[in-house]
Amino acid sequence: DQVGHESNVLNQQENEWISQLESFTPLDFKALDPVLLRLDTHLLLRSFVVGYSLSTADIALWGALRGNRIAVAALKKGNLVNLTRWFRFLEELCPWASSAVESMNAVDRKKKLAKSKEGGSYDIDLRNTE
């Protein structure tokens, strides 16, 4: 039936975007820029990445971008108009997402701080020494 077919197509499109999440993680602008431009173009006439409502792909991509300081800096420049619009729209639509990211970042910061307080490790393998 038609509804089942449309649902399968949307699921397939959603999975395609989710499978590309890794491409949104580089902390190198040259590597990230073409990926951001492609998503910006994709969002030209869309409010959501796939279909007409919020999907897992939207949340996953938003989280990947939000967690990448280079992507956040690119969005703040305002050159990626469609991507910036979508990013802010999702932030307003899902205020819990920002809170979740902040909580994860706080936990990560605490782990890094605890590790740095442990001090350096002097357990190195020195060959031919006595």
Side-chain angles (χ1 to χ4, degrees), residues 12-98:
Q12 186 179 357
Q13 290 173 351
E14 203 173 319
N15 289 337
E16 284 176 27
W17 281 104
I18 291 171
S19 72
Q20 297 172 35
L21 280 178
E22 191 93 358
S23 64
F24 290 89
T25 58
L27 293 175
D28 169 22
F29 183 73
K30 284 187 177 187
L32 193 59
D33 189 44
V35 177
L36 296 177
L37 285 170
R38 188 171 57 83
L39 184 53
D40 183 67
T41 302
H42 177 76
L43 291 166
L44 180 63
L45 299 173
R46 294 178 173 92
S47 295
F48 299 99
V49 173
V50 175
Y52 298 101
S53 60
L54 184 67
S55 71
T56 306
D58 288 296
I59 295 168
L61 287 166
W62 183 89
L65 293 174
R66 179 69 168 73
N68 184 328
R69 67 180 186 271
I70 304 300
V72 170
L75 289 169
K76 284 182 180 177
K77 286 182 182 176
N79 297 337
L80 302 163
V81 178
N82 306 308
L83 185 54
T84 302
R85 170 190 45 80
W86 168 84
F87 188 83
R88 289 184 180 149
F89 173 61
L90 253 65
E91 217 164 26
E92 291 172 15
L93 191 64
C94 311
W96 51 266
S98 287

Side-chain angles (χ1 to χ4, degrees), residues 94-115:
C94 311
W96 51 266
S98 287
S99 301
V101 169
E102 291 306 319
S103 296
M104 288 188 294
N105 286 342
V107 168
D108 193 39
R109 278 192 296 274
K110 284 181 185 176
K111 284 181 183 176
K112 285 180 182 173
L113 183 61
K115 198 166 203 146

